[in-house]
Amino acid sequence: MNKLRIVYMGTPEFAVAPLEALLNAGCNVVGVITNPDKPAGRGQQIQEAAVKKFAVEKGLKILQPEKFRNEEFLEELKALKADLQVVVAFKMLPEMVWNMPKYGTLNLHASLLPQYRGAAPINWAIINGDKETGVSTFLLQHKIDTGNILFQEKIPIGDNDNVEVIHDKLMTVGSELVVKTVHAIEAGEYPQIPQENLSDEVIALKSAPKIFKENCKIDWTKDLDSIHNLIRGLSPYPASWTELIPNETGKAIGLKVFTTEKEKTNHSEEIGRIVTDGKSYLKVAVNGGFISIKMLQQAGKKRMKTEDFLRGFQQIKNYHL
């Protein structure tokens, strides 16, 4: 077993794989910090975070502070005598927490820093039509996502890859990178590259702010690539959306759009016009071609293939976008 005493901090599914990788590599994880359990869903059942469930399975010590500055929590954290803390997909930490261990706090971020600092790096890389992304390990400093880079690993983004595909690839690559970084710190052989050394002044830095509902509305006046990228950059969650507007009177119907294909072509259709045979295909005329919708969800219904949606929604021709 490796000697470094590690406290691991994370909450969602993305953070489970690196924790598992550390345990499989024989690392000495002495405690796990994760979010408090909270009610979720329609029934408001108490939900445990993915990391907590996994930590319970493995018999690891778990702390779930409401507040990081809580004296009792800080005492419990100190008592774990961590040499290093590892943070994956977690909240901002105060300096008294991230600066506590001898080697500081290592963070895994799902982008090639300094690009895409912020809460939603995978979404924004796809929305912006990037051809590659990756993961970075760095040591926490005062400003969010600005610490010295230790290691990075790149992966390509395919033309039709969505958030789910890239999330799962980065989760695997990121897990390996966390283990590599911990081993390097243990051996005392790790680079610390200031992020400004990695940024090309010619290339503007893109940010990855939290995504809100208004970011997810599809603007059908944009070009073919931009619309396709937005939809896959929000799929499956939080999902892009649009509204079917009745041609005469009636209520607009909300639609989430999950999967689309691009049809590049010249056409004379009005932008935003729905083109459909009412049975098997549903396309929207946009600048540069058509967006062919393959998977969608009507408000209050289940997610379904377009042909299933059309079978149950015969009046589609009475609506526009």
Side-chain angles (χ1 to χ4, degrees), residues 155-318:
I155 67 160
I157 301 176
D159 284 348
N160 292 308
D161 284 347
N162 66 7
V163 171
E164 188 170 37
V165 170
I166 298 302
H167 169 281
D168 290 355
K169 284 183 182 174
L170 289 181
M171 192 164 66
T172 303
V173 174
S175 301
E176 292 163 5
L177 200 66
V178 165
V179 172
K180 174 183 173 178
T181 308
V182 167
H183 285 161
I185 290 171
E186 192 149 42
E189 296 167 3
Y190 53 103
Q192 288 208 49
I193 307 157
Q195 289 193 30
E196 48 271 27
N197 294 7
L198 292 168
S199 62
D200 186 335
E201 285 178 20
V202 182
I203 300 168
L205 288 185
K206 300 167 190 167
S207 62
K210 192 173 176 181
I211 289 173
F212 296 97
K213 192 179 179 187
E214 56 268 26
N215 302 123
C216 304
K217 188 173 186 187
I218 302 166
D219 179 354
W220 296 106
T221 65
K222 292 208 165 170
D223 65 274
L224 183 70
D225 287 334
S226 297
I227 296 169
H228 179 65
N229 292 343
L230 177 81
I231 291 164
R232 65 195 183 96
L234 296 169
S235 178
Y237 183 81
S240 60
W241 61 279
T242 188
E243 284 182 321
L244 289 173
I245 314 289
N247 291 337
E248 290 162 15
T249 57
K251 199 176 168 190
I253 294 170
L255 281 187
K256 285 183 177 179
V257 182
F258 294 96
T259 312
T260 54
E261 285 176 6
K262 294 185 296 187
E263 291 182 18
K264 286 193 179 184
T265 183
N266 294 323
H267 64 78
S268 54
E269 297 284 1
E270 186 187 344
I271 296 301
R273 180 168 181 265
I274 296 170
V275 179
T276 180
D277 62 353
K279 292 178 194 167
S280 58
Y281 69 83
L282 176 59
K283 304 193 291 191
V284 183
V286 300
N287 285 307
F290 294 95
I291 290 284
S292 180
I293 298 173
K294 300 294 181 184
M295 186 77 73
L296 73 169
Q297 183 177 8
Q298 185 181 337
K301 301 275 179 80
K302 285 194 304 191
R303 182 172 156 173
M304 60 184 75
K305 290 180 179 173
T306 293
E307 49 266 41
D308 296 329
F309 166 73
L310 290 172
R311 203 174 293 127
F313 196 79
Q314 300 291 314
Q315 66 270 41
I316 185 75
K317 288 179 181 173
N318 299 330

Side-chain angles (χ1 to χ4, degrees), residues 122-137:
I122 302 174
N123 303 87
W124 287 108
I126 298 171
I127 290 168
N128 288 332
D130 290 4
K131 298 296 181 196
E132 68 173 15
T133 186
V135 279
S136 309
T137 50

Side-chain angles (χ1 to χ4, degrees), residues 9 74 77-78 82-85 87 93-106 139-142:
M9 304 184 178
L74 290 169
L77 185 58
K78 239 176 244 166
D83 299 305
L84 176 70
Q85 289 170 166
V87 175
L93 302 172
E95 185 176 358
M96 64 182 72
V97 172
W98 61 255
N99 211 9
M100 196 182 282
K102 176 181 169 184
Y103 293 101
T105 296
L106 162 69
L139 291 171
L140 287 188
Q141 286 179 353
H142 286 281

Side-chain angles (χ1 to χ4, degrees), residues 53-65:
K53 286 179 186 166
F54 180 78
V56 168
E57 243 175 66
K58 297 296 175 184
L60 297 168
K61 181 172 177 62
I62 300 162
L63 298 179
Q64 295 178 276

